[in-house]
Amino acid sequence: MDNKRTFTPEQLHYLNVLSRQYPTVQSASTEIIRLRSILNLPKGTEHFMSDIHGEHEAFLHILNSGSGEVKEKLTDLWHNAGNGQILVDASIHGEYTSNAPLWRWMADYAREHGLRMHVHVSETTSEHEQAKERNGGLTPIQALDKYGVWENGAIAAHCVWVSEQDRALMREKGVSVVHNPSSNMKLGSGFAPVPEMLDMGINVALGTDGALEAGNLDLFEVMRAAAMSVRAAKNDPAALPASAALM
């Protein structure tokens, strides 16, 4: 497929702008990428992206024109771009870095625009237990559910310390998990209950969590870490076969 015919001139312009600041976007800007991409759209995107400098005044205008307008523009520009090759998700970084009004705002935005949500969930014991203290005994998964965060489908990163009740709710809401074994081991976060989630029919994908957290962005290393860490945690050499880690 000729990718030049799947992106609008405006989209290609901004891919080229981004590629000058972020080398990982370079393959997209040269229109040779074949991977499906999902862009997270958090509240505060204009601040996260603010290091794209003054020569691109039109782009800076989009980013600095107000939170709601920024998200409308970026969603319109990128969601389903490239014949669905690029998708946009709404995003809350995590329960512990945000608050209830933001959860409601982003959940409403996701519902109105047909977006899924992306959230970091229960990565560490301290995050999980402190969330329960803040939310009357509710875990991060349960607290965010009260505000509609999972209603449109979602990706939940980590999920190391999710409870059985959390997992049942995740299955009910269609929440997919991104398991980050290299990051979890490097940072001493613990071992996610991957076999239990798979047994319940929860979709589990693999990720790095970032080069800083994992040490690199090597997904083949992540696949190996996923299989080996589960076997170590379960004291079972057959706990997660290589075939399951590859799926």
Side-chain angles (χ1 to χ4, degrees):
M1 180 174 63
D2 184 355
N3 278 17
K4 291 185 179 181
R5 297 181 182 177
T6 63
F7 295 103
T8 68
E10 186 179 16
Q11 289 164 344
L12 289 174
H13 166 71
Y14 289 124
L15 281 172
N16 282 311
V17 170
L18 284 169
S19 71
R20 298 175 196 176
Q21 299 292 326
Y22 302 99
T24 55
V25 185
Q26 184 64 48
S27 59
S29 70
T30 54
E31 304 143 65
I32 62 171
I33 193 167
R34 293 295 186 271
L35 296 175
R36 190 178 185 186
S37 299
I38 299 176
L39 308 178
N40 292 326
L41 188 64
K43 188 170 178 63
T45 299
E46 62 273 20
H47 302 298
F48 177 75
M49 304 274 291
S50 63
D51 58 339
I52 297 177
H53 299 297
E55 64 178 292
H56 309 293
E57 293 182 4
F59 194 60
L60 287 173
H61 172 72
I62 295 171
L63 297 178
N64 293 320
S65 58
S67 182
E69 185 178 344
V70 168
K71 286 165 182 58
E72 292 280 356
K73 180 63 176 177
L74 294 179
T75 300
D76 291 345
L77 185 62
W78 291 114
H79 192 48
N80 286 317
N83 291 335
Q85 186 177 355
I86 296 177
L87 301 176
V88 170
D89 282 356
S91 179
I92 299 165
H93 173 262
E95 179 277 337
Y96 65 102
T97 56
S98 55
N99 54 45
L102 175 59
W103 307 340
R104 175 64 71 190
W105 193 97
M106 290 303 294
D108 289 345
Y109 184 89
R111 185 184 65 257
E112 291 164 5
H113 293 84
L115 309 179
R116 298 182 305 174
M117 192 72 75
H118 182 106
V119 191
H120 289 67
V121 172
S122 297
E123 180 178 358
T124 65
T125 51
S126 59
E127 173 199 337
H128 188 80
E129 293 303 319
Q130 289 170 16
K132 290 165 66 176
E133 293 175 9
R134 284 189 294 269
N135 297 289
L138 297 179
T139 67
I141 283 282
Q142 295 162 12
L144 293 169
D145 182 59
K146 286 183 59 179
Y147 293 85
V149 168
W150 313 120
E151 289 304 315
N152 223 41
I155 294 172
H158 299 296
C159 298
V160 176
W161 296 100
V162 290
S163 66
E164 184 175 352
Q165 292 78 13
D166 289 337
R167 298 194 292 271
L169 181 57
M170 292 158 63
R171 178 180 60 185
E172 176 189 342
K173 300 294 184 179
V175 176
S176 292
V177 173
V178 176
H179 175 42
N180 301 282
S182 298
S183 170
N184 296 155
M185 289 191 292
K186 179 183 176 182
L187 301 178
S189 302
F191 298 101
V194 173
E196 291 85 347
M197 291 189 284
L198 291 174
D199 287 345
M200 291 183 71
I202 296 171
N203 181 51
V204 180
L206 295 176
T208 65
D209 195 30
L212 178 64
E213 293 82 1
N216 58 52
L217 299 176
D218 187 342
L219 282 173
F220 287 96
E221 181 174 307
V222 168
M223 285 185 267
R224 183 172 184 270
M228 294 184 70
S229 63
V230 169
R231 295 171 192 179
K234 298 298 182 183
N235 195 27
D236 179 0
L240 188 70
S243 57
L246 285 167
M247 291 179 65

